Amino acid sequence: MTAALIDGKAIAASLRADIAAAVARLPDTPTLAVVLVGDNPASQVYVRSKVKQTEEAGMISKELRLPATATQAEVEAVVQELSADPAVDGILVQLPLPAGLDEAAVLSRLDPAKDVDGLTEISAGRLVLGKPGLRPCTPEGCVILAKSVHPDLAGAHVVVIGRSILVGKPAALLFLEQNATVSMAHSRTKDLPALCRSADILVPAVGRPLMVKADWVRPGATVIDVGINRIDQGDGKSRLVGDVDFEAVKEVAGAITPVPGGVGPMTIACLLRNTVIAACRRRGWAPPAL
Ligand code: NDP
């Protein structure tokens, strides 16, 4: 069997087009502020993409850069100012922050109404309680990709590998919200391959290159690979791979996301969607169906 490819790039582009159309109909232009501390090269690339795609969707992008030497108080002050600024609808603090900075303390300064990454305690609490709120972008992207194959997720067995605050835990809760039956696996899970083989939808979010092998996947299952790992090709060059051994698993799975071009593009599209939702809620505009 050769799996159908789930084209995250195309699905994200279609969502961004819907967002741009919705933004054009709003009474005013939403603003997304991105805070980047330090000079982590990967973070710089992500922030550049976020700024570019925010502007392409017709929204205003405000970029705040602080040096790696910024103090905890300085970073918190920037986030607090943006939280208090009525012209800002969404705030994204690019993680990870440089070593020595307390991310939780920085996020605690963020107005939950502007928490477009869904990382504050209020957003997490709302997700657990099943109340409306801003949902974390990468897990939301995983659900959209899974629904592109299974429009109704009710009763599907979803196995999420990983339990991080950023990806694994919220992904499990979002699939639960869709009435899936969810298993959360992690580093202490016993016989992980057997658990994975029981999945209708497998969502590895670990950060271990090519960990999920073909015999971990039930024939016909859907695989949504969140992992982004840079590996040495052996010729002095490197390339990005997921947590899934794509070449082998695509012969077994029914549908699979590639890396790159799967979950990654969805993360930014969902960030833009959250910015529109946050702007509408804050300013009392009717939310567009996105
Ligand atoms: P974390 O390191 O925070 O979490 C990794 C999780 O994997 C932990 O819960 C850990 O378990 C679990 N784990 C580690 N080793 C194993 C193992 N051998 N078997 C089973 N579980 C294991 O990573 P993140 O959640 O932040 O990111 C995960 C991956 O997703 C990374 O590759 C990251 O680059 C990628 N990512 C991709 C994004 C995108 O836009 N596509 C966005 C964000 C992340 P335990 O809790 O027991 O330690």
Side-chain angles (χ1 to χ4, degrees):
M1 173 190 285
T2 302
L5 203 65
I6 305 173
D7 189 345
K9 253 174 147 172
I11 296 170
S14 155
L15 178 54
R16 289 201 309 274
D18 291 348
I19 291 166
V23 167
R25 288 192 299 268
L26 293 176
D28 200 357
T29 310
T31 296
L32 172 65
V34 182
V35 180
L36 175 62
V37 186
D39 40 25
N40 178 322
S43 293
Q44 288 179 338
V45 172
Y46 292 141
V47 166
R48 262 203 302 280
S49 298
K50 286 170 185 171
V51 167
K52 183 168 168 274
Q53 292 185 29
T54 303
E55 290 170 353
E56 282 172 2
M59 295 190 276
I60 298 167
S61 171
K62 193 176 158 111
E63 201 183 333
L64 288 109
R65 285 177 179 256
L66 286 92
T69 51
T71 63
Q72 182 75 29
E74 284 165 348
V75 180
E76 286 187 30
V78 165
V79 174
Q80 191 142 6
E81 271 168 36
L82 292 170
S83 289
D85 184 346
V88 171
D89 296 293
I91 305 168
L92 173 119
V93 179
Q94 184 65 44
L95 302 178
L97 293 174
L101 291 174
D102 179 348
E103 289 181 353
V106 169
L107 292 175
S108 73
R109 302 285 174 177
L110 207 158
D111 177 354
K114 302 183 180 184
D115 177 21
V116 287
D117 231 358
L119 293 178
T120 59
E121 289 184 9
I122 296 278
S123 299
R126 288 185 159 272
L127 174 58
V128 173
L129 295 174
K131 291 185 174 182
L134 294 164
R135 307 302 197 214
C137 303
T138 300
E140 186 75 18
C142 293
V143 172
I144 294 172
L145 292 178
K147 286 183 91 168
S148 74
V149 182
H150 309 269
D152 182 7
L153 290 168
H157 184 208
V158 177
V159 174
V160 179
I161 320 177
R163 56 174 165 178
S164 72
I165 293 168
L166 195 63
V167 189
K169 267 186 199 164
L173 288 164
L174 285 172
F175 278 108
L176 189 62
E177 213 167 60
Q178 296 291 325
N179 298 315
T181 302
V182 181
S183 299
M184 290 179 73
H186 46 78
S187 64
R188 310 283 183 90
T189 296
K190 288 188 180 138
D191 200 353
L192 183 59
L195 178 66
C196 292
R197 273 193 297 275
S198 71
D200 300 309
I201 301 169
L202 183 60
V203 186
V206 178
R208 289 190 167 226
L210 314 177
M211 178 179 95
V212 174
K213 304 297 179 197
D215 62 354
W216 293 32
V217 175
R218 186 178 57 72
T222 295
V223 180
I224 309 286
D225 189 355
V226 184
I228 300 180
N229 311 286
R230 189 164 282 286
I231 59 164
D232 196 343
Q233 282 192 155
D235 58 1
K237 293 187 182 144
S238 64
R239 66 185 174 107
L240 288 183
V241 297
D243 289 344
V244 174
D245 184 352
F246 180 85
E247 288 307 319
V249 171
K250 79 176 191 335
E251 299 305 325
V252 180
I256 188 168
T257 57
V259 176
V263 175
M266 293 305 295
T267 298
I268 303 185
C270 290
L271 171 72
L272 303 182
R273 182 166 85 156
N274 274 350
T275 305
V276 173
I277 293 169
C280 291
R281 286 198 186 129
R282 285 187 59 248
R283 306 207 213 181
W285 301 333
L290 284 171

